[in-house]
Amino acid sequence: MKYDVLLIGSGGREHAMAWKLVQSPLMGNFYCAPGNAGISKVAECAEIDITDHSAIINFCNSKKIDFVIIGPEAPLVAGIVDDMASAGIKAFGPSAGAAQLEGSKAFTHEICDLYDVPAASYAKFNNGPKAKAYIRGAELPLVIKADGLAAGKGVVIAFNQNDALEAVDACFEGDFGEAGNQVVIEEYLVGEEVSLFAICDGQVASLIGTAQDHKQVYDGDQGPNTGGMGAYSPASIVDQETINEIMGEIIVPTLAGMHARGTPFKGILFAGLMLCEDGPKLIEYNVRFGDPECQVLMMRLRSDLLELMLTAADGSLLEHEIEWSDFSALGVVLATEGYPGSYRNGTAIGGTLDYEDADNVIIFHAGTRYDGEQLVANGGRVLNVCAKGRSVREAQQLAYAAIDRIDWPQGFCRKDIGWREVEREND
Ligand code: AMP
Ligand code: GLY
């Protein structure tokens, strides 16, 4: 059987998913809403407002879509999978109830408390005065978080009391909209940060891979946070023993807890973790692939992604072994000058076609579109230049060599993606 598939999203993550999905012999007609210039080479892109669930359902009915795959978190938290189910359309991703693992940091802490998942100690407040009184009596540093979805901007690490108090004010003064109606204040965890991705079918979780990303905009992890400036996989600091520990003490109990409360988790569970002296601790869950982590995971995944997602949606993941290539993969984000602040769209990009048929270098598109024949920038993060090699260092060299051939004066990238792993490899 072949499946007609609709993918929702428009980033580098979705281009990488699309690239992998079309390799499946199960793929029939393939659509993406809204997509980008890169995705338009492998899927038919449809200009649909993805916050309008009835428009998506109408599109699915008109194209007889068999399976919908959702890339970003916002539609998941807004209940797109529930709405698809009510319309009789199979979809990959968690229900709104299960997407609370990303939609509310307080919810995730409650699950961690109930099921003994190691995480930072915390307190939550629904008003400023109480949160501030707590801060005045607590040890620094503290991590102040808006409870809800804030597009990666709702977290402040406060090393002094003033910053902590200001972060609380920012939340309750509405800087993050409804996401800031509740504030979570956490203990500051010390260690190295890594990510682990599992595909889940409601009861069973299978490892998809580990990765490390680079959140700050400038070399040496300096400057403001971004969605992620680059990533590599696997993260060798997460050895097999640590993977077993994370799966056994964090992922599996979370999945069991979500099942027990009647909101089984189906989809990609992305655990942001701190490797602390006393073991791995959960920093946060996301309920979808990371961007740019997905790009490097897709380069390494050997198994059929579409088949895995169909199986997870059906609740029968146990029957599947997941296979990866032994290669390392590394991806560098090219962003528009000004990002993560304001930037100008529409600048012309040349030189990306050299790699269309390359085996070890792939250029995934994020914010791009075609202006006639010309590829132009259409967002902050624009391209992801990904390479695979026998080591992260080799992948890094290949990726930067490819970037040297891209002609885009208004673009910039970090020059040190993968530095932690390269240092480890050199040791
Ligand atoms: P989050 O949006 O929760 O992932 O937080 C954004 C970033 O803040 C994380 O990737 C960490 O680098 C950092 N962070 C969040 N919570 C903590 C914590 N409790 N201790 C130390 N760093 C944290
Ligand atoms: N790169 C982090 C994220 O996708 O949330």
Side-chain angles (χ1 to χ4, degrees), residues 232-234 236 300 326-330 360 387-399 417-418 421-422 424-426:
Y232 68 87
S233 173
S236 72
R300 294 194 62 239
D326 292 333
F327 284 103
S328 292
L330 178 136
N360 51 6
K388 60 183 185 186
R390 281 159 300 184
S391 61
V392 167
R393 186 179 177 72
E394 189 179 85
Q396 186 194 49
Q397 283 166 344
L398 282 167
I417 298 302
E421 194 73 10
V422 170
R424 274 193 278 270
E425 287 175 356
N426 286 343

PDB file of all heavy atoms in Angstrom, residues 232-234 236 300 326-330 360 387-399 417-418 421-422 424-426:
ATOM      1  N   TYR A 232      25.121  18.450  15.863  1.00  0.00           N
ATOM      2  CA  TYR A 232      25.755  17.237  15.353  1.00  0.00           C
ATOM      3  C   TYR A 232      25.180  16.025  16.069  1.00  0.00           C
ATOM      4  O   TYR A 232      24.571  16.153  17.141  1.00  0.00           O
ATOM      5  CB  TYR A 232      27.286  17.296  15.506  1.00  0.00           C
ATOM      6  CG  TYR A 232      27.738  17.255  16.933  1.00  0.00           C
ATOM      7  CD1 TYR A 232      27.952  16.034  17.574  1.00  0.00           C
ATOM      8  CD2 TYR A 232      27.918  18.426  17.657  1.00  0.00           C
ATOM      9  CE1 TYR A 232      28.345  15.983  18.900  1.00  0.00           C
ATOM     10  CE2 TYR A 232      28.307  18.388  18.980  1.00  0.00           C
ATOM     11  CZ  TYR A 232      28.514  17.161  19.593  1.00  0.00           C
ATOM     12  OH  TYR A 232      28.878  17.113  20.914  1.00  0.00           O
ATOM     13  N   SER A 233      25.357  14.867  15.463  1.00  0.00           N
ATOM     14  CA  SER A 233      24.871  13.610  16.029  1.00  0.00           C
ATOM     15  C   SER A 233      25.799  12.488  15.562  1.00  0.00           C
ATOM     16  O   SER A 233      26.251  12.526  14.420  1.00  0.00           O
ATOM     17  CB  SER A 233      23.442  13.334  15.538  1.00  0.00           C
ATOM     18  OG  SER A 233      23.012  12.054  15.930  1.00  0.00           O
ATOM     19  N   PRO A 234      26.092  11.465  16.368  1.00  0.00           N
ATOM     20  CA  PRO A 234      25.662  11.327  17.757  1.00  0.00           C
ATOM     21  C   PRO A 234      26.531  12.173  18.676  1.00  0.00           C
ATOM     22  O   PRO A 234      27.610  12.610  18.282  1.00  0.00           O
ATOM     23  CB  PRO A 234      25.874   9.838  18.026  1.00  0.00           C
ATOM     24  CG  PRO A 234      27.016   9.447  17.139  1.00  0.00           C
ATOM     25  CD  PRO A 234      26.894  10.304  15.916  1.00  0.00           C
ATOM     26  N   SER A 236      28.813  11.841  21.523  1.00  0.00           N
ATOM     27  CA  SER A 236      29.492  10.678  22.110  1.00  0.00           C
ATOM     28  C   SER A 236      29.539  10.740  23.634  1.00  0.00           C
ATOM     29  O   SER A 236      29.735   9.729  24.295  1.00  0.00           O
ATOM     30  CB  SER A 236      30.916  10.556  21.555  1.00  0.00           C
ATOM     31  OG  SER A 236      31.713  11.591  22.095  1.00  0.00           O
ATOM     32  N   ARG A 300      21.485  10.404   9.531  1.00  0.00           N
ATOM     33  CA  ARG A 300      22.038   9.168  10.095  1.00  0.00           C
ATOM     34  C   ARG A 300      21.027   8.022  10.130  1.00  0.00           C
ATOM     35  O   ARG A 300      21.426   6.864  10.254  1.00  0.00           O
ATOM     36  CB  ARG A 300      22.530   9.429  11.522  1.00  0.00           C
ATOM     37  CG  ARG A 300      23.699  10.382  11.613  1.00  0.00           C
ATOM     38  CD  ARG A 300      24.324  10.331  12.978  1.00  0.00           C
ATOM     39  NE  ARG A 300      24.853   9.008  13.273  1.00  0.00           N
ATOM     40  CZ  ARG A 300      24.472   8.258  14.308  1.00  0.00           C
ATOM     41  NH1 ARG A 300      23.567   8.683  15.144  1.00  0.00           N
ATOM     42  NH2 ARG A 300      25.007   7.074  14.486  1.00  0.00           N
ATOM     43  N   ASP A 326      26.792   4.370  10.698  1.00  0.00           N
ATOM     44  CA  ASP A 326      27.862   4.595  11.680  1.00  0.00           C
ATOM     45  C   ASP A 326      28.466   5.985  11.543  1.00  0.00           C
ATOM     46  O   ASP A 326      29.269   6.399  12.365  1.00  0.00           O
ATOM     47  CB  ASP A 326      28.993   3.568  11.463  1.00  0.00           C
ATOM     48  CG  ASP A 326      28.521   2.183  11.808  1.00  0.00           C
ATOM     49  OD1 ASP A 326      27.605   2.086  12.640  1.00  0.00           O
ATOM     50  OD2 ASP A 326      29.050   1.213  11.233  1.00  0.00           O
ATOM     51  N   PHE A 327      28.105   6.697  10.480  1.00  0.00           N
ATOM     52  CA  PHE A 327      28.683   8.020  10.253  1.00  0.00           C
ATOM     53  C   PHE A 327      28.226   9.022  11.309  1.00  0.00           C
ATOM     54  O   PHE A 327      27.165   8.873  11.908  1.00  0.00           O
ATOM     55  CB  PHE A 327      28.260   8.549   8.881  1.00  0.00           C
ATOM     56  CG  PHE A 327      28.996   7.911   7.754  1.00  0.00           C
ATOM     57  CD1 PHE A 327      28.412   6.936   6.984  1.00  0.00           C
ATOM     58  CD2 PHE A 327      30.299   8.313   7.475  1.00  0.00           C
ATOM     59  CE1 PHE A 327      29.108   6.350   5.942  1.00  0.00           C
ATOM     60  CE2 PHE A 327      30.995   7.737   6.427  1.00  0.00           C
ATOM     61  CZ  PHE A 327      30.398   6.742   5.662  1.00  0.00           C
ATOM     62  N   SER A 328      29.041  10.056  11.490  1.00  0.00           N
ATOM     63  CA  SER A 328      28.607  11.222  12.264  1.00  0.00           C
ATOM     64  C   SER A 328      28.027  12.225  11.281  1.00  0.00           C
ATOM     65  O   SER A 328      28.423  12.256  10.114  1.00  0.00           O
ATOM     66  CB  SER A 328      29.807  11.879  12.952  1.00  0.00           C
ATOM     67  OG  SER A 328      30.309  11.024  13.950  1.00  0.00           O
ATOM     68  N   ALA A 329      27.112  13.037  11.756  1.00  0.00           N
ATOM     69  CA  ALA A 329      26.558  14.089  10.901  1.00  0.00           C
ATOM     70  C   ALA A 329      26.642  15.411  11.645  1.00  0.00           C
ATOM     71  O   ALA A 329      26.500  15.462  12.871  1.00  0.00           O
ATOM     72  CB  ALA A 329      25.112  13.776  10.539  1.00  0.00           C
ATOM     73  N   LEU A 330      26.909  16.472  10.877  1.00  0.00           N
ATOM     74  CA  LEU A 330      27.003  17.805  11.470  1.00  0.00           C
ATOM     75  C   LEU A 330      26.326  18.802  10.536  1.00  0.00           C
ATOM     76  O   LEU A 330      26.468  18.696   9.311  1.00  0.00           O
ATOM     77  CB  LEU A 330      28.478  18.175  11.675  1.00  0.00           C
ATOM     78  CG  LEU A 330      28.737  19.574  12.250  1.00  0.00           C
ATOM     79  CD1 LEU A 330      29.814  19.497  13.336  1.00  0.00           C
ATOM     80  CD2 LEU A 330      29.161  20.551  11.175  1.00  0.00           C
ATOM     81  N   ASN A 360      27.456  13.065   0.461  1.00  0.00           N
ATOM     82  CA  ASN A 360      27.841  13.332   1.853  1.00  0.00           C
ATOM     83  C   ASN A 360      27.574  14.760   2.314  1.00  0.00           C
ATOM     84  O   ASN A 360      27.834  15.096   3.457  1.00  0.00           O
ATOM     85  CB  ASN A 360      29.316  12.969   2.087  1.00  0.00           C
ATOM     86  CG  ASN A 360      30.204  13.598   1.039  1.00  0.00           C
ATOM     87  OD1 ASN A 360      29.728  14.380   0.223  1.00  0.00           O
ATOM     88  ND2 ASN A 360      31.484  13.272   1.072  1.00  0.00           N
ATOM     89  N   ALA A 387      26.616  17.699   6.649  1.00  0.00           N
ATOM     90  CA  ALA A 387      27.561  16.765   6.039  1.00  0.00           C
ATOM     91  C   ALA A 387      27.713  15.559   6.942  1.00  0.00           C
ATOM     92  O   ALA A 387      27.492  15.647   8.148  1.00  0.00           O
ATOM     93  CB  ALA A 387      28.913  17.449   5.844  1.00  0.00           C
ATOM     94  N   LYS A 388      28.097  14.427   6.325  1.00  0.00           N
ATOM     95  CA  LYS A 388      28.409  13.271   7.162  1.00  0.00           C
ATOM     96  C   LYS A 388      29.844  12.839   6.926  1.00  0.00           C
ATOM     97  O   LYS A 388      30.389  13.028   5.834  1.00  0.00           O
ATOM     98  CB  LYS A 388      27.417  12.134   6.957  1.00  0.00           C
ATOM     99  CG  LYS A 388      27.337  11.579   5.576  1.00  0.00           C
ATOM    100  CD  LYS A 388      26.257  10.498   5.527  1.00  0.00           C
ATOM    101  CE  LYS A 388      26.250   9.848   4.168  1.00  0.00           C
ATOM    102  NZ  LYS A 388      25.163   8.899   3.976  1.00  0.00           N
ATOM    103  N   GLY A 389      30.461  12.318   7.984  1.00  0.00           N
ATOM    104  CA  GLY A 389      31.855  11.913   7.894  1.00  0.00           C
ATOM    105  C   GLY A 389      32.131  10.801   8.891  1.00  0.00           C
ATOM    106  O   GLY A 389      31.270  10.467   9.708  1.00  0.00           O
ATOM    107  N   ARG A 390      33.370  10.260   8.825  1.00  0.00           N
ATOM    108  CA  ARG A 390      33.700   9.179   9.765  1.00  0.00           C
ATOM    109  C   ARG A 390      33.875   9.715  11.180  1.00  0.00           C
ATOM    110  O   ARG A 390      33.863   8.961  12.144  1.00  0.00           O
ATOM    111  CB  ARG A 390      34.964   8.452   9.312  1.00  0.00           C
ATOM    112  CG  ARG A 390      34.686   7.450   8.187  1.00  0.00           C
ATOM    113  CD  ARG A 390      35.913   7.138   7.431  1.00  0.00           C
ATOM    114  NE  ARG A 390      36.447   8.381   6.841  1.00  0.00           N
ATOM    115  CZ  ARG A 390      37.483   8.446   6.041  1.00  0.00           C
ATOM    116  NH1 ARG A 390      38.131   7.358   5.707  1.00  0.00           N
ATOM    117  NH2 ARG A 390      37.896   9.614   5.556  1.00  0.00           N
ATOM    118  N   SER A 391      34.053  11.020  11.300  1.00  0.00           N
ATOM    119  CA  SER A 391      34.131  11.658  12.612  1.00  0.00           C
ATOM    120  C   SER A 391      33.371  12.975  12.502  1.00  0.00           C
ATOM    121  O   SER A 391      33.080  13.447  11.389  1.00  0.00           O
ATOM    122  CB  SER A 391      35.588  11.943  12.969  1.00  0.00           C
ATOM    123  OG  SER A 391      36.130  12.835  12.005  1.00  0.00           O
ATOM    124  N   VAL A 392      33.078  13.583  13.647  1.00  0.00           N
ATOM    125  CA  VAL A 392      32.427  14.898  13.616  1.00  0.00           C
ATOM    126  C   VAL A 392      33.364  15.902  12.961  1.00  0.00           C
ATOM    127  O   VAL A 392      32.943  16.778  12.208  1.00  0.00           O
ATOM    128  CB  VAL A 392      32.012  15.324  15.047  1.00  0.00           C
ATOM    129  CG1 VAL A 392      31.626  16.787  15.096  1.00  0.00           C
ATOM    130  CG2 VAL A 392      30.847  14.461  15.510  1.00  0.00           C
ATOM    131  N   ARG A 393      34.661  15.732  13.208  1.00  0.00           N
ATOM    132  CA  ARG A 393      35.633  16.649  12.601  1.00  0.00           C
ATOM    133  C   ARG A 393      35.578  16.598  11.073  1.00  0.00           C
ATOM    134  O   ARG A 393      35.571  17.628  10.403  1.00  0.00           O
ATOM    135  CB  ARG A 393      37.039  16.281  13.099  1.00  0.00           C
ATOM    136  CG  ARG A 393      38.084  17.247  12.635  1.00  0.00           C
ATOM    137  CD  ARG A 393      39.467  16.893  13.157  1.00  0.00           C
ATOM    138  NE  ARG A 393      40.413  17.832  12.619  1.00  0.00           N
ATOM    139  CZ  ARG A 393      40.512  19.097  12.992  1.00  0.00           C
ATOM    140  NH1 ARG A 393      39.719  19.561  13.939  1.00  0.00           N
ATOM    141  NH2 ARG A 393      41.391  19.897  12.450  1.00  0.00           N
ATOM    142  N   GLU A 394      35.511  15.362  10.538  1.00  0.00           N
ATOM    143  CA  GLU A 394      35.450  15.228   9.071  1.00  0.00           C
ATOM    144  C   GLU A 394      34.157  15.855   8.538  1.00  0.00           C
ATOM    145  O   GLU A 394      34.167  16.568   7.528  1.00  0.00           O
ATOM    146  CB  GLU A 394      35.543  13.756   8.667  1.00  0.00           C
ATOM    147  CG  GLU A 394      35.692  13.576   7.178  1.00  0.00           C
ATOM    148  CD  GLU A 394      35.817  12.108   6.782  1.00  0.00           C
ATOM    149  OE1 GLU A 394      34.765  11.451   6.618  1.00  0.00           O
ATOM    150  OE2 GLU A 394      36.948  11.619   6.657  1.00  0.00           O
ATOM    151  N   ALA A 395      33.049  15.591   9.232  1.00  0.00           N
ATOM    152  CA  ALA A 395      31.763  16.165   8.800  1.00  0.00           C
ATOM    153  C   ALA A 395      31.839  17.696   8.871  1.00  0.00           C
ATOM    154  O   ALA A 395      31.348  18.401   7.981  1.00  0.00           O
ATOM    155  CB  ALA A 395      30.635  15.640   9.682  1.00  0.00           C
ATOM    156  N   GLN A 396      32.486  18.203   9.905  1.00  0.00           N
ATOM    157  CA  GLN A 396      32.622  19.659  10.079  1.00  0.00           C
ATOM    158  C   GLN A 396      33.405  20.266   8.907  1.00  0.00           C
ATOM    159  O   GLN A 396      33.016  21.285   8.328  1.00  0.00           O
ATOM    160  CB  GLN A 396      33.331  19.931  11.406  1.00  0.00           C
ATOM    161  CG  GLN A 396      33.412  21.387  11.793  1.00  0.00           C
ATOM    162  CD  GLN A 396      34.404  21.606  12.928  1.00  0.00           C
ATOM    163  OE1 GLN A 396      35.541  21.119  12.874  1.00  0.00           O
ATOM    164  NE2 GLN A 396      33.974  22.322  13.951  1.00  0.00           N
ATOM    165  N   GLN A 397      34.514  19.595   8.530  1.00  0.00           N
ATOM    166  CA  GLN A 397      35.333  20.131   7.426  1.00  0.00           C
ATOM    167  C   GLN A 397      34.531  20.157   6.122  1.00  0.00           C
ATOM    168  O   GLN A 397      34.563  21.133   5.378  1.00  0.00           O
ATOM    169  CB  GLN A 397      36.600  19.295   7.262  1.00  0.00           C
ATOM    170  CG  GLN A 397      37.629  19.629   8.339  1.00  0.00           C
ATOM    171  CD  GLN A 397      38.754  18.598   8.429  1.00  0.00           C
ATOM    172  OE1 GLN A 397      38.645  17.485   7.910  1.00  0.00           O
ATOM    173  NE2 GLN A 397      39.827  18.961   9.121  1.00  0.00           N
ATOM    174  N   LEU A 398      33.783  19.072   5.871  1.00  0.00           N
ATOM    175  CA  LEU A 398      32.983  19.002   4.639  1.00  0.00           C
ATOM    176  C   LEU A 398      31.903  20.088   4.628  1.00  0.00           C
ATOM    177  O   LEU A 398      31.658  20.721   3.596  1.00  0.00           O
ATOM    178  CB  LEU A 398      32.318  17.631   4.538  1.00  0.00           C
ATOM    179  CG  LEU A 398      33.213  16.489   4.072  1.00  0.00           C
ATOM    180  CD1 LEU A 398      32.528  15.143   4.323  1.00  0.00           C
ATOM    181  CD2 LEU A 398      33.498  16.658   2.572  1.00  0.00           C
ATOM    182  N   ALA A 399      31.254  20.278   5.767  1.00  0.00           N
ATOM    183  CA  ALA A 399      30.165  21.267   5.826  1.00  0.00           C
ATOM    184  C   ALA A 399      30.713  22.674   5.573  1.00  0.00           C
ATOM    185  O   ALA A 399      30.143  23.434   4.776  1.00  0.00           O
ATOM    186  CB  ALA A 399      29.456  21.198   7.180  1.00  0.00           C
ATOM    187  N   ILE A 417      30.770  25.124  14.902  1.00  0.00           N
ATOM    188  CA  ILE A 417      29.759  24.112  15.238  1.00  0.00           C
ATOM    189  C   ILE A 417      30.456  22.762  15.471  1.00  0.00           C
ATOM    190  O   ILE A 417      31.319  22.353  14.683  1.00  0.00           O
ATOM    191  CB  ILE A 417      28.700  24.007  14.102  1.00  0.00           C
ATOM    192  CG1 ILE A 417      27.952  25.332  13.943  1.00  0.00           C
ATOM    193  CG2 ILE A 417      27.733  22.844  14.353  1.00  0.00           C
ATOM    194  CD1 ILE A 417      27.229  25.853  15.169  1.00  0.00           C
ATOM    195  N   GLY A 418      30.099  22.122  16.549  1.00  0.00           N
ATOM    196  CA  GLY A 418      30.674  20.808  16.886  1.00  0.00           C
ATOM    197  C   GLY A 418      31.927  20.889  17.738  1.00  0.00           C
ATOM    198  O   GLY A 418      32.580  19.873  17.979  1.00  0.00           O
ATOM    199  N   GLU A 421      32.692  18.321  20.545  1.00  0.00           N
ATOM    200  CA  GLU A 421      32.971  16.954  20.089  1.00  0.00           C
ATOM    201  C   GLU A 421      34.338  16.889  19.404  1.00  0.00           C
ATOM    202  O   GLU A 421      35.076  15.929  19.578  1.00  0.00           O
ATOM    203  CB  GLU A 421      31.865  16.516  19.123  1.00  0.00           C
ATOM    204  CG  GLU A 421      31.846  15.036  18.840  1.00  0.00           C
ATOM    205  CD  GLU A 421      31.332  14.192  20.008  1.00  0.00           C
ATOM    206  OE1 GLU A 421      30.813  14.757  20.991  1.00  0.00           O
ATOM    207  OE2 GLU A 421      31.485  12.963  19.944  1.00  0.00           O
ATOM    208  N   VAL A 422      34.665  17.921  18.630  1.00  0.00           N
ATOM    209  CA  VAL A 422      35.974  17.940  17.960  1.00  0.00           C
ATOM    210  C   VAL A 422      37.084  17.945  19.012  1.00  0.00           C
ATOM    211  O   VAL A 422      38.080  17.224  18.884  1.00  0.00           O
ATOM    212  CB  VAL A 422      36.074  19.151  17.000  1.00  0.00           C
ATOM    213  CG1 VAL A 422      37.498  19.335  16.476  1.00  0.00           C
ATOM    214  CG2 VAL A 422      35.105  18.972  15.834  1.00  0.00           C
ATOM    215  N   ARG A 424      36.866  16.654  21.962  1.00  0.00           N
ATOM    216  CA  ARG A 424      36.904  15.293  22.538  1.00  0.00           C
ATOM    217  C   ARG A 424      37.636  14.347  21.588  1.00  0.00           C
ATOM    218  O   ARG A 424      38.424  13.520  22.016  1.00  0.00           O
ATOM    219  CB  ARG A 424      35.487  14.781  22.788  1.00  0.00           C
ATOM    220  CG  ARG A 424      34.914  15.192  24.130  1.00  0.00           C
ATOM    221  CD  ARG A 424      33.652  14.403  24.459  1.00  0.00           C
ATOM    222  NE  ARG A 424      32.480  14.952  23.808  1.00  0.00           N
ATOM    223  CZ  ARG A 424      31.703  15.895  24.345  1.00  0.00           C
ATOM    224  NH1 ARG A 424      31.969  16.384  25.542  1.00  0.00           N
ATOM    225  NH2 ARG A 424      30.656  16.354  23.712  1.00  0.00           N
ATOM    226  N   GLU A 425      37.341  14.481  20.285  1.00  0.00           N
ATOM    227  CA  GLU A 425      37.995  13.593  19.297  1.00  0.00           C
ATOM    228  C   GLU A 425      39.508  13.825  19.266  1.00  0.00           C
ATOM    229  O   GLU A 425      40.275  12.895  19.012  1.00  0.00           O
ATOM    230  CB  GLU A 425      37.411  13.823  17.897  1.00  0.00           C
ATOM    231  CG  GLU A 425      36.010  13.256  17.747  1.00  0.00           C
ATOM    232  CD  GLU A 425      35.350  13.583  16.399  1.00  0.00           C
ATOM    233  OE1 GLU A 425      35.965  14.331  15.600  1.00  0.00           O
ATOM    234  OE2 GLU A 425      34.260  13.102  16.166  1.00  0.00           O
ATOM    235  N   ASN A 426      39.924  15.087  19.518  1.00  0.00           N
ATOM    236  CA  ASN A 426      41.357  15.387  19.478  1.00  0.00           C
ATOM    237  C   ASN A 426      42.088  14.877  20.705  1.00  0.00           C
ATOM    238  O   ASN A 426      43.312  14.765  20.687  1.00  0.00           O
ATOM    239  CB  ASN A 426      41.563  16.913  19.370  1.00  0.00           C
ATOM    240  CG  ASN A 426      41.226  17.396  17.958  1.00  0.00           C
ATOM    241  OD1 ASN A 426      41.153  16.596  17.044  1.00  0.00           O
ATOM    242  ND2 ASN A 426      41.011  18.687  17.809  1.00  0.00           N
TER     243      ASN A 426
END
